[in-house]
Amino acid sequence: MLRSSGPMPAVAFAGEVCQPPDVIASVQFKHFKALRATSLRMEPFNLLIGPNGSGKTSLVQAFLRLRTLAARAPANGQSAAPPPPAVETPAPRRPNGVPEIIFRFPPPFADIEVHLGGHSEHRLDLLQVRHPPGGDAEARWEQLRTKLSGIRAYLFDHYAMAGPVAPADSGELASNGRNIAAVIAAMQAQPTPAFARLQAEFCRALPEFTGVVPRPAEAGGLELALRLKDGGELVAAENISQGALYTLAMLTLSFSPRPPTVLCLEEADRGVHPRLLREVRDALYRLSYPTSYGETREAVQIVATTHSPFLLDLFREHPEEIVIASKQGRSATFARLSDRPDAAEILAEGSLGDLWFSGILGGVPEE
Amino acid sequence: MKVALLSESPADEAALRVLVEAVLSETIVLVQPGLRARGWPNVAQVLPAILRHLHFNTDAAGLVVVVDADDSVVHTAEHEAPGYFHPQCRLCQLRGIFRKTQKRFPPLHGRDRVLRAVGLAVPAIEAWYLCGQDVQVTELAWAEGQALGLAPYTRRELKWRVYGTDRPNLGFEIQRAVESVRRHRGDLRRLETDFPQGFGRMAHDLRDWRQTAPRE
């Protein structure tokens, strides 16, 4: 008789290719808020789970700080700190230590390191770029700096999304999604199929709608409306559910012709029905694995946070994409689920969301 | 015939409907479309409540449940012996839940109980989708690999073979699922040969319905 003895090892197959992260390879934290001493290897897609206060948002803040300070950095890659000293200069001793965040990058930027530092764990204002001397490395730092300028973080606000917006405010989706009507109108005006694909995907996910309609609002502005399947009536964004608007915002990013290079999305599940979370995952995967979706643009590195066991369930086949943030006292650490030696056995035992809730994966509040 | 389907996703449900109609040789009326479970063991957890609901609150003639075997024990002919129950076989477990849950149900809506059809996709439903296209993917190949401790393929690999990626979007997954199973509509023998326990037993259950299910 056959016996189940845990997951079987499998032979490798040709279709499986390991896509390296596109922008950030790893990040190391020292004395930054709750992240006292931890590091994280970054994947193309990263889903962070963990209790409140376990450093998920701090990771996003670190990325945003990297973008801001890298934009200020001089071209020769030295300290961008206003004013000196740079992070290497000894700082006054503090009981909690000097905060430092070290970013490393994938090839062809693997010999470049960026150190963020500061005199307070709540304010990082020093940046130092370390790379080999020479024009080649400086040119690559410039290239990397351009990529870093594309880091974006989103936390959607349905009240802001429902309001009117100036048509000219259509460059890129704002961090709270407030200009979604203008961004979608601009997509619609382009001679590309992006808008049609966005609309088709949205209406497939929410079949009660048949159209996404940016329309004129008061004072020359634009507002968003959705066309109902039943009767064809247009419903203004202020009367549309939070989850529908957030799903539309994620699809807008997903089909954007110029998406961010790194996209941080806080509470990716917020307001969305558990059964619609598959659409959320797909929208994000379209960004981070574009070739799997027939897209030809560059991959977007994703950092998403969630408290939803239902969203987590959708990543069972990809434990390497799950980051568990755990907190002990005032200190938090990150760990990848796939780095656990018993990950395969654990995943064979039940749903990932249930296992997380049980506490055996970590990433649960202290009681 | 009024039938309910319990599946893990809209793609599974769409494919399952095609297969059930092919076995029954008739168009089914779906009772309570969109019954979902979140994989194993959630299927086993929600099944008693779903059976109770279907029995008392609907006139469904039968319920079809298909689960992925993943790395669990594959159902074999041995398990079909009278009174036999393999505690690690998901098909045996689901049959046991049907039996235990409905044991004390009173006859209602013109039937004694909701009829049972249970399938086990070995190791995942994508294996069924590949039937006839990839001769290496069969229940026997998986069972032999299990006995040797070396899987001939993984669930991720099956997804690659079906969708060209292991991260398909839902719309494409539904499209490929339906396309794949429609190939078998006219002749299910290949599916029953390559997947005799997981698919074959479900087809056998469904054919038994013809004698017992109430007609409209």
Side-chain angles (χ1 to χ4, degrees):
Chain A
M1 180 179 299
L2 295 173
R3 293 197 181 280
S4 181
S5 54
M8 286 183 285
V11 291
F13 67 96
E16 191 167 39
V17 283
C18 192
Q19 179 182 314
D22 285 275
V23 184
I24 296 168
S26 71
V27 54
Q28 183 181 349
F29 293 93
K30 298 176 186 174
H31 307 295
F32 179 61
K33 299 187 176 180
L35 303 170
R36 316 307 303 167
T38 192
S39 58
L40 180 63
R41 180 187 78 249
M42 298 296 295
E43 295 283 339
F45 189 100
N46 306 272
L47 181 69
L48 270 74
I49 58 170
N52 305 110
S54 61
K56 302 187 296 296
T57 299
S58 299
L59 177 70
V60 174
Q61 288 170 341
F63 280 21
L64 291 176
R65 204 65 193 140
L66 171 66
R67 179 194 68 186
T68 304
L69 291 179
R72 288 189 206 153
N76 63 10
Q78 295 308 303
S79 171
V87 289
E88 287 186 322
T89 305
R93 279 191 70 81
R94 284 173 175 74
N96 289 334
V98 177
E100 185 177 17
I101 306 174
I102 304 166
F103 292 92
R104 296 182 178 89
F105 307 93
F109 312 112
D111 56 356
I112 300 175
E113 265 187 24
V114 173
H115 293 237
L116 302 188
H119 294 284
S120 149
E121 63 179 282
H122 297 292
R123 184 167 175 80
L124 297 175
D125 51 11
L126 306 173
L127 174 140
Q128 188 178 62
V129 184
R130 297 177 186 175
H131 60 64
D136 170 61
E138 284 177 15
R140 280 184 292 109
W141 162 239
E142 273 309 293
Q143 213 182 326
L144 177 60
R145 199 157 70 139
T146 305
K147 278 181 177 274
L148 298 179
S149 70
I151 296 174
R152 295 289 182 273
Y154 292 90
L155 180 60
F156 297 124
D157 174 352
H158 56 290
Y159 292 116
M161 291 166 79
V165 59
D169 193 1
S170 60
E172 63 178 65
L173 193 64
S175 61
N176 62 356
R178 61 164 177 76
N179 60 341
I180 189 168
V183 171
I184 289 178
M187 283 171 83
Q188 194 178 21
Q190 292 297 314
T192 62
F195 172 75
R197 294 171 66 208
L198 155 69
Q199 183 172 245
E201 199 69 7
F202 178 76
C203 296
R204 187 188 56 73
L206 290 119
E208 64 266 41
F209 301 112
T210 56
V212 177
V213 185
R215 64 181 184 182
E218 58 190 29
L222 279 172
E223 68 174 12
L224 188 69
L226 298 178
R227 190 176 301 285
L228 280 176
K229 183 180 182 182
D230 187 14
E233 184 190 342
L234 280 176
V235 183
E238 63 184 4
N239 296 319
I240 294 167
S241 76
Q242 187 180 349
L245 285 175
Y246 295 165
T247 304
L248 183 60
M250 279 182 260
L251 287 170
T252 303
L253 288 168
S254 184
F255 285 101
S256 165
R258 291 180 306 280
T261 52
V262 178
L263 190 154
C264 306
L265 182 63
E266 296 224 51
E267 304 296 349
D269 58 279
R270 199 160 57 103
V272 180
H273 189 279
R275 285 204 190 180
L276 267 185
L277 292 174
R278 171 69 191 266
E279 307 294 347
V280 170
R281 189 199 74 172
D282 287 354
L284 297 176
Y285 268 170
R286 181 182 295 279
L287 287 162
S288 55
Y289 296 96
T291 52
S292 289
Y293 287 74
E295 306 282 354
T296 51
R297 56 164 172 70
E298 284 190 19
V300 177
Q301 198 166 19
I302 304 266
V303 176
T305 71
T306 187
H307 288 110
S308 166
F310 299 106
L311 182 61
L312 184 61
D313 277 344
L314 301 175
F315 293 85
R316 177 172 176 259
E317 300 286 341
H318 292 283
E320 76 281 5
E321 293 177 344
I322 297 166
V323 178
I324 299 162
S326 296
K327 194 166 83 167
Q328 284 181 318
R330 291 183 59 196
S331 181
T333 54
F334 294 134
R336 281 207 180 267
L337 177 56
S338 55
D339 289 346
R340 278 181 72 128
D342 59 350
E345 285 78 11
I346 283 178
L347 289 167
E349 295 298 328
S351 99
L352 201 44
D354 289 343
L355 292 170
W356 174 35
F357 188 85
S358 77
I360 61 169
L361 300 183
V364 293
E366 291 177 299
E367 291 176 354
Chain B
M1 192 183 297
K2 292 186 175 176
V3 177
L5 307 175
L6 174 59
S7 59
E8 290 181 24
S9 76
D12 292 3
E13 180 179 299
L16 202 51
R17 181 177 190 155
V18 173
L19 291 172
V20 169
E21 289 184 340
V23 176
L24 292 173
S25 304
E26 66 176 277
T27 304
I28 59 170
V29 177
L30 214 53
V31 178
Q32 191 100 29
L35 284 175
R36 294 278 179 275
R38 291 161 46 226
W40 192 267
N42 183 251
V43 181
Q45 290 158 356
V46 298
L47 184 54
I50 286 173
L51 279 169
R52 201 165 288 119
H53 170 73
L54 292 174
H55 183 80
F56 289 103
N57 304 330
T58 76
D59 57 354
L63 170 66
V64 183
V65 186
V66 174
V67 293
D68 288 349
D70 298 324
D71 293 307
S72 67
V73 168
V74 175
H75 191 79
T76 66
E78 270 185 294
H79 301 195
E80 291 292 319
Y84 191 95
F85 170 85
H86 193 300
Q88 270 96 48
C89 166
R90 292 180 181 178
L91 200 146
C92 288
Q93 289 181 68
L94 290 174
R95 285 179 176 179
I97 293 168
F98 265 88
R99 230 176 0 250
K100 192 175 165 192
T101 306
Q102 300 203 101
K103 203 162 54 180
R104 296 184 203 286
F105 284 178
L108 204 63
H109 302 299
R111 41 40 172 169
D112 290 339
R113 64 184 194 288
V114 174
L115 297 171
R116 177 206 80 195
V118 180
L120 184 70
V122 178
I125 202 160
E126 281 78 13
W128 292 3
Y129 300 165
L130 288 165
C131 179
Q133 289 189 321
D134 191 331
V135 293
Q136 295 171 329
V137 179
T138 65
E139 220 168 70
L140 180 65
W142 182 261
E144 285 179 349
Q146 210 172 35
L148 294 168
L150 185 68
Y153 35 79
T154 62
R155 292 188 299 277
R156 281 170 75 167
E157 184 180 0
L158 292 178
K159 283 183 187 288
W160 271 92
R161 293 186 193 181
V162 173
Y163 312 112
T165 171
D166 60 348
R167 297 176 178 86
N169 114 318
L170 183 57
F172 183 57
E173 192 174 320
I174 293 171
Q175 180 196 323
R176 291 289 296 128
V178 172
E179 279 170 8
S180 303
V181 294
R182 275 191 180 149
R183 289 184 293 109
H184 300 285
R185 266 189 308 187
D187 186 352
L188 293 160
R189 284 177 296 181
R190 184 66 189 262
L191 257 175
E192 293 190 59
T193 304
D194 288 356
F195 299 92
Q197 303 304 323
F199 179 79
R201 295 294 168 192
M202 181 185 79
H204 185 264
D205 282 350
L206 286 167
R207 290 188 183 111
D208 275 354
W209 288 12
R210 289 182 184 148
Q211 279 82 54
T212 43
R215 299 279 150 178
E216 309 212 4

